[in-house]
Amino acid sequence: LRIFSMLFIVIYHFCIHAIDTNSPYYPQVVKGIEVILHIAVVCFVLISGYWGIKPSLKGLIKFYLQCLIYSVGIYLIYCVFNTDTFSKKTLVESFFAFTHTPGLWFVTTYICLYIISPIINIPLKIQSPGKKLVWIALLGILSFYFGLVHGNGSLIDGKNVINFIFIYYIGNFIHYHIDHNKIKQHRTKIILIYSLLNIFIFISIIATSNYLIIQEIIIKFFFPYNSIGLIINAILFFLIFVSFEFKSKLINWMGSSTFAIYLIHENGYTGQYLYKFIAYLHSNINNLFILGLSLVLFGIFVCIVCILIDKILKPILKIVESILFKSVKLQVLDKNIYKYLNSNM
């Protein structure tokens, strides 16, 4: 699910940098694909909720180091090829990898979720399924009504910690209170519903190309991260993967590096080159099918390259982590913090 979701994100980012072709239907086709692929971020948060975030100082530092190595590394490599752009201020800012990396809004929002996870995990440990549903409903009201309907500036598009907590709670509920045997039994129905829903989304967006008000309503229902339609669509996609059992070292090996794909390809400096190439493809390929296939294949290629880069860098990160925890004795501090947090839940 992580691998597919990240591939969705990569292809989605390629699509939003599309250049219109001569076909009047092309922009609508791209728009339809974008809406369908937009479920990926929600799936990542569902995964976090399903397994639960187990906060620790060591985990926080490992997450920071992973973000740091790509934030600083990519900027320095960019400056090697663009020497006139080097700035001490930008270099210093790149060390603030949670807040100052261009293009990576998800990192900032997710680290907020991680930091407050000891608090949001409390109701999940002590509340009954019924009370969990009440929490989900209350968070849903905040996210749907105040964010999507009312358009509150801090909640409007779902790229916020309130919406992430809402999705996180849904993931937890699926794990502990939905019968997985029933999910497996109804797998075919779930796949059918998911397929029909996305066919409906795609066709309705194309069919309403001359009725922009109706199209805007459809997109608002299925596109923002706090929209009911998108979250339902993401849950269906999530349940499809829950209904299967995967046992593969290769999948685990690849899956552990999916976050690096996001950190590399969506970094503002890397993106300049990637999206120039995407623009080149769009301007030189007129056949929509071939163009779409090219974007998918290039997306797979980018994912594979990013995974390989991450595998090369992981031993370096492990050495840094080992030195850091041994020299500063953070491991002892980490254990004490973990015990304290769990004793107060």
Side-chain angles (χ1 to χ4, degrees):
L1 178 58
R2 291 178 189 221
I3 294 167
F4 270 92
S5 295
M6 189 52 69
L7 182 60
F8 279 15
I9 289 172
V10 171
I11 297 172
Y12 166 78
H13 288 151
F14 289 174
C15 286
I16 62 177
H17 290 84
I19 298 174
D20 295 347
T21 66
N22 296 325
S23 169
Y25 297 103
Y26 175 72
Q28 306 305 321
V29 170
V30 172
K31 197 176 290 185
I33 293 172
E34 288 174 7
V35 174
I36 292 170
L37 297 177
H38 212 226
I39 63 171
V41 168
V42 175
C43 286
F44 271 106
V45 184
L46 283 171
I47 291 171
S48 294
Y50 186 86
W51 294 114
I53 294 175
K54 299 172 180 63
S56 66
L57 180 61
K58 187 174 183 179
L60 183 64
I61 292 174
K62 287 178 69 174
F63 187 56
Y64 170 72
L65 288 175
Q66 186 180 18
C67 294
L68 177 70
I69 195 170
Y70 291 112
S71 175
V72 176
I74 290 173
Y75 177 67
L76 291 177
I77 292 171
Y78 177 80
C79 289
V80 168
F81 295 96
N82 302 271
T83 53
D84 58 325
T85 62
F86 178 77
S87 164
K88 290 181 180 179
K89 179 184 176 183
T90 307
L91 178 61
V92 171
E93 286 179 346
S94 65
F95 279 85
F96 294 87
F98 290 152
T99 54
H100 287 74
T101 306
L104 302 179
W105 70 266
F106 179 83
V107 172
T108 303
T109 309
Y110 188 82
I111 197 60
C112 291
L113 182 71
Y114 187 94
I115 291 171
I116 66 170
S117 60
I119 299 170
I120 64 176
N121 282 337
I122 294 173
L124 299 179
K125 288 180 176 290
I126 63 175
Q127 301 291 1
S128 64
K131 288 184 178 179
K132 284 184 183 181
L133 285 175
V134 172
W135 280 103
I136 290 171
L138 291 174
L139 288 165
I141 291 170
L142 287 176
S143 200
F144 292 146
Y145 176 72
F146 290 98
L148 191 66
V149 179
H150 178 65
N152 180 277
S154 62
L155 303 171
I156 190 168
D157 56 3
K159 295 179 180 179
N160 56 75
V161 72
I162 293 295
N163 193 50
F164 273 31
I165 294 172
F166 169 57
I167 299 165
Y168 182 90
Y169 274 31
I170 293 173
N172 173 273
F173 193 88
I174 291 172
H175 189 170
Y176 293 103
H177 306 294
I178 301 294
D179 190 336
H180 285 47
N181 289 324
K182 288 185 178 179
I183 295 174
K184 291 177 183 179
Q185 291 172 8
H186 297 289
R187 178 191 301 152
T188 304
K189 290 181 181 178
I190 295 170
I191 294 173
L192 181 62
I193 294 169
Y194 170 77
S195 301
L196 291 175
L197 177 61
N198 284 276
I199 290 170
F200 165 77
I201 293 170
F202 187 75
I203 292 176
S204 63
I205 288 175
I206 294 175
T208 56
S209 58
N210 294 322
Y211 307 94
L212 294 181
I213 294 177
I214 298 175
Q215 188 181 84
E216 286 178 10
I217 293 171
I218 294 170
I219 291 174
K220 192 168 186 178
F221 191 81
F222 286 104
F223 185 76
Y225 290 121
N226 55 351
S227 60
I228 298 173
L230 179 133
I231 291 176
I232 291 173
N233 200 12
I235 290 171
L236 289 169
F237 191 65
F238 185 83
L239 290 177
I240 291 171
F241 281 83
V242 170
S243 70
F244 289 96
E245 290 185 5
F246 298 97
K247 294 181 181 179
S248 168
K249 290 183 179 179
L250 177 62
I251 290 175
N252 290 336
W253 184 80
M254 294 174 64
S256 64
S257 291
T258 50
F259 187 57
I261 299 172
Y262 175 72
L263 293 175
I264 296 171
H265 96 276
E266 190 58 4
N267 182 286
Y269 300 107
T270 311
Q272 292 182 31
Y273 296 98
L274 275 178
Y275 300 135
K276 280 182 182 177
F277 181 72
I278 295 301
Y280 171 81
L281 290 178
H282 280 278
S283 60
N284 287 275
I285 301 176
N286 293 321
N287 184 288
L288 190 57
F289 175 77
I290 295 176
L291 177 59
L293 182 61
S294 299
L295 291 181
V296 172
L297 292 176
F298 183 58
I300 294 172
F301 172 76
V302 168
C303 288
I304 291 172
V305 170
C306 291
I307 288 172
L308 292 177
I309 292 171
D310 190 60
K311 296 305 178 186
I312 293 170
L313 291 176
K314 271 195 173 178
I316 300 173
L317 282 172
K318 285 184 179 179
I319 292 172
V320 174
E321 290 166 15
S322 177
I323 294 172
L324 188 63
F325 274 84
K326 283 182 180 178
S327 61
V328 191
K329 296 183 179 180
L330 288 176
Q331 200 162 1
V332 175
L333 180 61
D334 177 55
K335 287 181 180 179
N336 290 334
I337 291 173
Y338 184 80
K339 286 180 181 178
Y340 176 77
L341 289 175
N342 281 276
S343 65
N344 285 276
M345 282 188 177

